[in-house]
Amino acid sequence: MRSFITVLALAAMVAFPAMTAPAEARRPAERPAGYPRSYDSVIADAQAEGTVRIYANADKAEMVPVVAAFRRLYPGIQVLYADLGSAELYRRYTAETRAKQYSADIVWSSAMDQQVKLINDGYAQQYASPEKPALPAAAVWKNMGFGVTAEPIGVVYNKKLVPAALVPQSHQQLEQLLRKRRTAFMGKIATFDPARSNVGYLYLSQDFQITRDTRSLVEAMAATRPVLMKHTEEMLQGVASGKLAMAYNVIGSYALERARRDPNIGVVFPRDYTIVTSRIAFISREARHPAAARLFLDFLLSRAGQAQLARHSLWPVRTDVPASHRLPAGQARPVRVGPQLLVNLDRLTRERFLRDWNAILASGQKTR
């Protein structure tokens, strides 16, 4: 695998070049079963384009086998993959597009509200994917935004520091634990910093929308003087090392993958409700390789592509694809792909939210 990966540091890109002989790369690829005959022209155009450029915040290490599976189907297409943080992805893509520079053909991010804003602002093009009928209705918006994954947000804990009998199974139990054992957890609880992390802001704002009890939970967390972080990996590393006892609102797919390798890590999804988010993908309005972008997006949404994602930490959005974990319907609270997410990005709404958040943290600092 390493033999065909080239890291281009300045561009923050990973290139997955052709893995086959030139003659094989020119051979027409087969149309997926069930697709209309007109899809042959999409394949032909994509092979003529020869490249698809993707900006995403899915870990490139997890995407290597996914891209390799795509390349086996379409060997003549080079995949350029930029693994970026959600904020950098948004900034870079919008800046390049406004400057009419070469940018992404596909934009794929877990920052759902930012993705919806880009679509709403006219950055995406419509595409009626042949895979749409197999997707949940809540995963598609305007035939532009496609929810590719269904990833639960949970609590990660260190098994040595949090005995099984104390592991909270709901948000209420978590609050009670933090209040009863505040001293023991002082400086040992982590969560996303909503001021620095777009996904952290999304998760926390969803908590507040689901229940007013979130304020009481955040107050209990604030009293432990929580460690505020920007990335999931930071939280997982802190819990694994024992520097942290628990981390709240962690991306569950990554947490479970880490827990499989590290016996010190436990993961729980609150039974009262578990937020389920999706990584939204869209094809850029200004895509230089629109046919190749359609090909890659359709692969991600296909049963084969979803099965690859399921094997590599990213839970599939399709319900007809086997997955190692599925939440009960009554527990899962999917975040719908749609315009309601734009409320999060209203400047005054965000400022008010962060002002309240900082006030709660400041109050917690005074707790003795």
Side-chain angles (χ1 to χ4, degrees), residues 39 45 97 100 103 139 144 147 149 189 194 196 232 295 321 327 362 364:
Y39 201 77
D45 290 345
T97 303
K100 301 194 180 302
S103 191
M144 292 183 179
T149 61
I189 305 298
R196 296 187 300 142
T232 295
L295 220 61
V321 173
L327 296 178

Side-chain angles (χ1 to χ4, degrees), residues 15-219:
F16 299 81
M19 298 181 292
T20 55
E24 185 176 355
R26 289 194 298 269
R27 188 187 67 226
E30 293 184 9
R31 175 183 0 120
Y35 279 34
R37 286 196 299 271
S38 59
Y39 201 77
D40 288 339
S41 64
V42 176
I43 296 174
D45 290 345
Q47 290 186 316
E49 292 169 356
T51 299
V52 60
R53 194 180 203 195
I54 302 162
Y55 286 0
N57 65 349
D59 185 1
K60 61 179 177 290
E62 303 295 340
M63 287 301 296
V64 167
V66 177
V67 171
F70 170 80
R71 296 294 335 291
R72 286 192 291 272
L73 292 175
Y74 306 107
I77 300 174
Q78 178 178 234
V79 177
L80 302 177
Y81 187 90
D83 180 2
L84 305 168
S86 58
E88 171 62 14
L89 184 156
Y90 182 91
R91 185 206 63 76
R92 177 170 165 179
Y93 171 71
T94 53
E96 290 172 346
T97 303
R98 288 168 183 162
K100 301 194 180 302
Q101 296 175 353
Y102 178 34
S103 191
D105 300 308
I106 291 178
V107 182
W108 184 28
S109 172
S110 57
M112 298 180 70
D113 43 9
Q114 287 189 332
Q115 291 292 88
V116 167
K117 176 173 171 53
L118 288 172
I119 294 168
N120 193 64
D121 289 350
Y123 283 91
Q125 61 177 266
Q126 283 196 335
Y127 175 54
S129 171
E131 298 292 346
K132 180 181 175 180
L135 304 176
V140 183
W141 185 46
K142 291 185 173 182
N143 276 356
M144 292 183 179
F146 296 85
V148 177
T149 61
E151 299 177 66
I153 308 304
V155 177
V156 177
Y157 61 95
N158 183 293
K159 292 180 179 179
K160 294 180 179 179
L161 300 179
V162 185
L166 295 181
V167 174
Q169 300 298 321
S170 69
H171 291 84
Q172 182 180 19
Q173 288 182 14
L174 175 59
E175 178 188 341
Q176 292 172 343
L177 178 65
L178 296 180
R179 291 192 185 280
K180 289 179 180 178
R181 297 176 178 265
R182 181 175 64 85
T183 302
F185 289 126
M186 191 68 69
K188 289 281 192 177
I189 305 298
T191 192
F192 279 111
D193 182 351
R196 296 187 300 142
S197 168
N198 292 311
V199 294
Y201 173 62
L202 172 65
Y203 303 159
L204 194 58
S205 63
Q206 288 293 313
D207 278 329
F208 275 96
Q209 289 179 30
I210 291 170
T211 174
R212 294 179 180 178
D213 293 337
T214 296
R215 185 178 187 87
S216 184
L217 170 59
V218 172
E219 288 172 347

Side-chain angles (χ1 to χ4, degrees), residues 234-307:
E234 291 179 279
M235 290 189 271
L236 292 176
Q237 184 59 39
V239 172
S241 67
K243 292 181 179 179
L244 299 171
M246 284 191 293
Y248 176 71
N249 270 357
V250 178
I251 299 173
S253 52
Y254 288 161
L256 288 170
E257 184 69 16
R258 181 65 179 264
R260 285 198 308 182
R261 308 191 306 267
D262 191 332
N264 291 327
I265 289 182
V267 184
V268 62
F269 299 112
R271 292 174 183 169
D272 52 336
Y273 74 86
T274 295
I275 295 170
V276 178
T277 63
S278 188
R279 295 173 190 267
I280 300 176
F282 66 81
I283 299 173
S284 174
R285 181 194 64 206
E286 306 296 336
R288 293 194 183 180
H289 311 105
R294 291 168 187 161
L295 220 61
F296 192 85
L297 176 61
D298 288 336
F299 175 73
L300 287 180
L301 298 174
S302 71
R303 185 178 281 111
Q306 292 273 292

